[in-house]
Amino acid sequence: MKAGIIGSGSWATALAKILTDNGNQISWWIRNEDTIRYMQLRHHNRHYLTSVYFDTNLVKLSSHLEEVVAASDVLVLAVPSAFLEDVMLQLSPEALQGKKVVNAVKGLVPGSNLLINDYLSDIFDLPLEQYYAITGPCHAEEVANEKLSYLTFSGLQEAAAQSIADMFTNSYLQTIVNRDVIGVQLAAVLKNIYALGAGIAHGLEYGDNFLSVYITNCFREMQQFLDVYGKDHTEAGTHNYNASAYLGDLLVTCYSLHSRNRTFGNMIGKGYSVKAAQLELNMIAEGYYASKSLFEKNMEVGAYMPVAQAVYTILWQHLNPREAFLALEKGFI
Ligand SMILES: NC(=O)c1ccc[n+]([C@@H]2O[C@H](COP(=O)([O-])OP(=O)(O)OC[C@H]3O[C@@H](n4cnc5c(N)ncnc54)[C@H](O)[C@@H]3O)[C@@H](O)[C@H]2O)c1
Ligand SMILES: O=P(O)(O)OC[C@H](O)CO
């Protein structure tokens, strides 16, 4: 299977490393011509994971999206959710016909608040059977350093999910395959919101004891949301909450210093404005967009989500973080 990657941030670069380390030839869509020229000359991405060098014989770079999509059987999406719609709308509605689309984005489409599979189904008529999700606790920076990591590949077509996972499996990357393609995506969206909240707590100088209680309550809230959501969306299926795509990703994003969401939240807890934190981070914290999308989505779902709601209200309605956390403290078990 010929693989294509859409995006040039940290995660796209990490996934390109894994695929090319395994000897796969890839087509890679990079938006910026200067970044392409730099990579052709210097063999690494000048902005993200700069220590990762590529065998340029294995990498075909292009800023023409249609070209990359046409050349790929398996298309990996790794653009932050806030830009995904702008990127995908460059394609014709037939462009994804017959393709396997592998979503590595941990987010909802801002505005419509759709899961990526629902968005691709609406715009490109992509059946869920051709759609796969990559989730799990995995920071691009650790992939760059070849530290042992685990990724989960989910899809209704388990055999195809397995063959995609096999393209990524190697000595530093273990893969897990399941059919829970909706649940793992929602868990990934939620954990970004909770990690941002963990960062806020850290910025407010709560300690490790509180953080462990906070994460416990977030994990329960995540399950409550998925349980309520699943009642109206039977395709959501059953979820193994103790698997690494659920609990593991929540833990790594709340605890790791690599986490963009935690770092962003930490600045908010310390008193930065959203704008100032965005400028300082210079990377995308998905939890910021997710908090709004999830808040709106939950108006229909109706799950009890005090933590996600507090994060949304702090970021989007200027609620004082200290006051929000004082209110949360009382409800934790
Ligand atoms: N970084 C990780 O460790 C990691 C791990 C798993 C999943 N993810 C997910 O991967 C996705 C991508 O995140 P990332 O960490 O690679 O982001 P990043 O912050 O490293 O990169 C941001 C990317 O967005 C691009 N960009 C900026 N403005 C744009 C625009 N207007 N249009 C199109 N692209 C634009 C930049 O060129 C860059 O490629 C997110 O959904 C994230 O949750 C990231
Ligand atoms: O750096 P974060 O917080 O965006 O998280 C990245 C990955 O989703 C961790 O699995």
Side-chain angles (χ1 to χ4, degrees):
M1 282 187 292
K2 287 177 285 175
I5 298 188
I6 309 295
S8 57
S10 329
W11 195 220
T13 306
L15 295 172
K17 169 184 164 59
I18 301 167
L19 284 171
T20 52
D21 280 356
N22 290 357
N24 296 290
Q25 293 217 325
I26 58 166
S27 300
W28 188 355
W29 178 77
I30 294 183
R31 179 173 64 107
N32 189 314
E33 293 275 2
D34 286 346
T35 305
I36 293 184
R37 272 193 292 277
Y38 184 94
M39 206 183 289
Q40 277 160 343
L41 198 65
R42 308 270 182 201
H43 303 188
H44 70 116
N45 186 334
R46 68 172 164 175
H47 297 299
Y48 299 97
L49 306 190
T50 52
S51 65
V52 173
Y53 283 79
F54 289 94
D55 175 350
T56 39
N57 294 320
L58 293 177
V59 180
K60 187 164 185 318
L61 303 171
S62 171
S63 61
H64 301 291
L65 193 59
E66 288 275 4
E67 191 178 296
V68 170
V69 172
S72 312
D73 307 308
V74 176
L75 200 63
V76 180
L77 307 182
V79 176
S81 64
F83 312 124
L84 187 69
E85 213 175 356
D86 281 355
V87 172
M88 296 309 284
L89 286 177
Q90 296 173 33
L91 292 171
S92 67
E94 304 78 35
L96 300 184
Q97 263 177 24
K99 309 284 176 194
K100 293 184 173 69
V101 178
V102 182
N103 173 39
V105 180
K106 290 179 175 171
L108 300 168
V109 179
S112 61
N113 307 326
L114 290 172
L115 282 164
I116 310 301
N117 55 286
D118 289 327
Y119 169 74
L120 297 177
S121 162
D122 281 1
I123 306 296
F124 298 97
D125 215 8
L126 186 83
L128 192 55
E129 287 71 20
Q130 281 171 231
Y131 177 88
Y132 303 85
I134 304 182
T135 59
C138 195
H139 278 118
E141 294 77 5
E142 293 205 348
V143 170
N145 290 325
E146 302 187 4
K147 293 200 178 283
L148 183 63
S149 306
Y150 292 69
L151 285 175
T152 297
F153 289 73
S154 306
L156 295 185
Q157 305 288 335
E158 230 171 325
Q162 183 66 61
S163 5
I164 296 167
D166 290 345
M167 296 172 80
F168 288 81
T169 310
N170 64 25
S171 61
Y172 63 84
L173 207 292
Q174 298 249 9
T175 54
I176 299 150
V177 169
N178 67 30
R179 301 185 79 247
D180 185 15
V181 66
I182 307 295
V184 292
Q185 291 182 86
L186 287 167
V189 169
L190 287 163
K191 68 87 191 173
N192 282 337
I193 302 170
Y194 297 137
L196 208 154
I200 297 176
H202 191 261
L204 290 169
E205 299 190 352
Y206 285 91
D208 293 347
N209 296 345
F210 175 81
L211 192 61
S212 67
V213 175
Y214 168 87
I215 295 171
T216 305
N217 282 270
C218 291
F219 188 43
R220 199 180 67 254
E221 189 174 297
M222 175 189 284
Q223 296 177 42
Q224 281 168 351
F225 177 83
L226 277 157
D227 289 347
V228 180
Y229 183 88
K231 284 189 185 134
D232 287 337
H233 301 80
T234 43
E235 80 284 8
T238 50
H239 319 296
N240 179 3
Y241 292 120
N242 298 318
S244 55
Y246 287 88
L247 180 57
D249 207 3
L250 177 65
L251 290 173
V252 83
T253 321
C254 286
Y255 279 118
S256 171
L257 296 181
H258 293 304
S259 167
R260 279 143 278 268
N261 287 293
R262 183 184 188 279
T263 306
F264 185 90
N266 186 42
M267 289 190 266
I268 300 294
K270 287 194 181 310
Y272 285 53
S273 67
V274 165
K275 249 290 132 306
Q278 282 170 329
L279 285 171
E280 179 82 22
L281 184 64
N282 200 25
M283 286 185 286
I284 301 297
E286 285 278 12
Y288 171 67
Y289 303 98
S291 64
K292 182 165 187 288
S293 289
L294 205 279
F295 176 80
E296 290 167 3
K297 204 172 188 63
N298 194 40
M299 285 184 182
E300 293 154 34
V301 177
Y304 178 60
M305 309 201 75
V307 180
Q309 182 161 343
V311 173
Y312 162 75
T313 319
I314 292 168
L315 297 177
W316 293 87
Q317 307 279 345
H318 310 295
L319 176 65
N320 179 289
R322 170 89 46 210
E323 280 173 29
F325 269 77
L326 280 173
L328 281 178
E329 279 175 25
K330 296 185 178 46
F332 282 172
I333 58 170

